[in-house]
């Protein structure tokens, strides 16, 4: 079993805000992440698949194909978008935290990986914070 | 003359949009940077000052003081904010491009640097794009 | 289960030296790391916790809280200090290798993580060397 | 159990090409990686071993010794070489993909690690692609 | 005057070899860079232009246009190629050192930059070596 | 004129302390950098030389030779040492700030660079602070 990882990037706006809470409670919990006019990040995404290298090509999966799938299913839908307002694959009202993003990026990708298995979604929000999800 | 540089970071939302233009013209010029619901970046700021090291302390300028000035005058005003809507030191209607940001960050800082000279403002918008301004 | 990681940094001095050994033996085993007047590193620390994201906040754990705990329990005690002489949570006479540091940083943190679990302590000593500990 | 990782680097040329296939088929599968006059990469290699730190030295394994072994058995054989033509430990005709490289670097190293266990070979081909192998 | 920089990447093979010299002299001067079967690098290219930001768009030059020019004139001609054999804009027999590459990349780009000025070509060969050229 | 830069690294201990001052005054000016038992850094050094590439070798200067000189004259004298106590080329009592280090590293190197000119010494103390010196 060999693990292969592809890095992709997207830049997006978001804020953390619970509609049912008062402004005061939102700022207490989310701090400056609750600022009303949004802020944003350069997100860095690592998608890892695992499998046996093909005896002829030496590929677990063609990394160009993996990149195409990740761009079509994830990056093109998130890049230069607002994560609270614009993303069809995020449930309505869900907080666009890095934790929730990795789970829903996994769901978005898992049925598109053929011939090997999706292993890990890792997402950097800043150089100091990242989340990982392994499908369960 | 020794040059000393301090790195700081801020995360902000913005879009590029000329009010006087049609939607079509805006997307033609700015592409996905014109998306209506904003996008954002992890900006990385490098502020360089120059001067002679003090013969006793060995400092051109205390870098902790430089960091405090940059945070008070620039980072705290930009971090987790919307660069089109929230920034008092950016002229109304100016495009928040990296080019315009370095000029106005320079103006915001130059009168606060004492005992040595501001030399350069360098700002990364993504790992692939940065702008620099030397005051003229 | 989602894994969330926070990066922190500290700068410290140390040397590797076994009191019971001759100077010759110390230099034979530890090389220049045994130099008597100390040397030092910019350590980079990654603390990973794991748990289920809260359905409302989307947090496994508030990363600001994680950062506060790591600073209070670890970084403030190690930063700008001597790892052989100044650290109350390192057993007396223990070598301050990256391996021993990750074990004792784990012990220092594990009782302070509430509502989710400590998963990994990863510590870079240089860009070429790091150690990881998963609690057993 | 503590995991210790050493980073090493080598620069090499290669191409991806199946002798039994037509030129057309090779370019269809491998794209520009099939260009006849080779291309190359700055490979970055991470070798991880695991074990218990020695109670006196605090070492799982002396990282200088690990570096020496990795250089002798792997880096010196790959650095400034052609991965298709020059490498004695790669089976003839095998594609020098990152996936195949991590498997054969593992085989090259596993018998040389004494007193602790080889845990992982991780190899970056570019900043966007890496492969990992854990020995099975 | 504001300086704007765009980063691009290409992966290529090369060797250093003077045809008129003996093999012995080539290895004496170029060391392992003279290995006959080539080696290669992940080159990282920084192209800097300078000018006044447009008062409406805030652009010195549209960075997407700059990227397109650099890709068409330089990156697509160098990526996954052999720098000694395949590059039409490198004079025959010239050593493909980082120093010579930055001069000829400058020549390749300077007539294509319109409305502002080419300022600097910076090229990393490895993380430890880079060259810069400012046009004279 | 082409500029060529070589990166080197060293790890050292230091503190900032003026003997003539009280402990109180030292901590007021230098903060935690005055801690008595030292702290340390992974310093990253960039040495830039400038000149015309040789028409045959394509070298401004053989970067291996530049690396050898920097190691012999600077890195081997600073690596795993105490910058306040152990360095023969630093004047007694001088503060080992990044500013003072770049000046004295320049002095240490300038007479050893032959056939081209020393252009810049750049030294990172942390990822957030660096100093540069151009010889005057």
């Amino acid at each position: 079993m060999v693990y292969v990882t592809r890095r992709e990037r997207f830049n997006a706006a978001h804020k953390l805000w619970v509609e049912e809470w008062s402004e005061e409670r939102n700022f207490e919990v989310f701090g400056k992440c609750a600022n009303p006019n949004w802020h944003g990040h350069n997100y860095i995404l690592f998608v890892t698949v695992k499998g046996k290298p093909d005896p002829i090509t030496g590929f677990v999966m063609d990394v160009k194909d993996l990149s195409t799938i990740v761009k079509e299913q994830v990056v093109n839908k998130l890049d230069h978008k607002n994560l609270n307002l614009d993303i069809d694959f995020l449930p309505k009202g869900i907080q666009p935290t890095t934790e929730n993003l990795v789970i829903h990026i996994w769901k978005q990708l898992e049925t598109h990986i053929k011939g090997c298995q999706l292993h890990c979604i890792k997402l950097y929000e800043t150089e100091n914070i990242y989340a990982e999800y392994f499908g369960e």
Side-chain angles (χ1 to χ4, degrees), chain A:
Chain A
M1 195 72 98
V2 177
Y3 298 74
V4 178
T5 300
R6 173 76 193 183
R7 190 181 84 119
E8 302 284 347
R9 299 177 303 113
F10 59 91
N11 310 319
H14 78 157
K15 69 176 168 187
L16 301 183
W17 187 268
V18 175
E19 281 301 331
E20 292 71 23
W21 290 355
S22 67
E23 187 177 319
E24 195 187 15
R25 176 102 178 95
N26 270 292
F27 275 100
E28 197 184 297
V29 172
F30 295 125
K32 59 190 177 182
C33 294
N35 278 345
N37 290 327
W38 320 95
H39 64 281
H41 297 291
N42 298 339
Y43 288 93
I44 305 180
L45 173 65
F46 294 83
V47 177
T48 303
V49 298
K50 62 182 171 188
K52 282 180 82 90
D54 179 274
I56 294 171
T57 63
F59 286 161
V60 163
M61 175 181 178
D62 186 332
V63 189
K64 288 190 301 297
D65 294 344
L66 177 56
S67 176
T68 303
I69 291 168
V70 176
K71 280 191 181 115
E72 282 174 3
Q73 301 302 322
V74 177
V75 169
N76 293 352
K77 291 166 183 265
L78 298 175
D79 190 32
H80 283 70
K81 293 290 168 51
N82 184 308
L83 302 180
N84 299 66
L85 302 177
D86 297 336
I87 314 305
D88 60 10
F89 70 79
L90 289 179
K92 243 201 134 151
I94 201 175
Q95 293 307 316
T97 57
T98 323
E99 288 96 318
N100 280 335
L101 286 169
V102 290
I103 293 174
H104 289 282
I105 290 171
W106 176 283
K107 289 183 181 167
Q108 188 68 5
L109 282 174
E110 64 178 341
T111 60
H112 293 86
I113 306 298
K114 316 282 193 202
C116 64
Q117 289 170 266
L118 185 57
H119 173 69
C120 180
I121 301 298
K122 181 178 180 178
L123 184 66
Y124 275 83
E125 187 179 87
T126 71
E127 66 183 34
N128 292 330
I129 300 170
Y130 64 82
E132 291 162 292
Y133 183 59
F134 296 84
E136 52 186 318

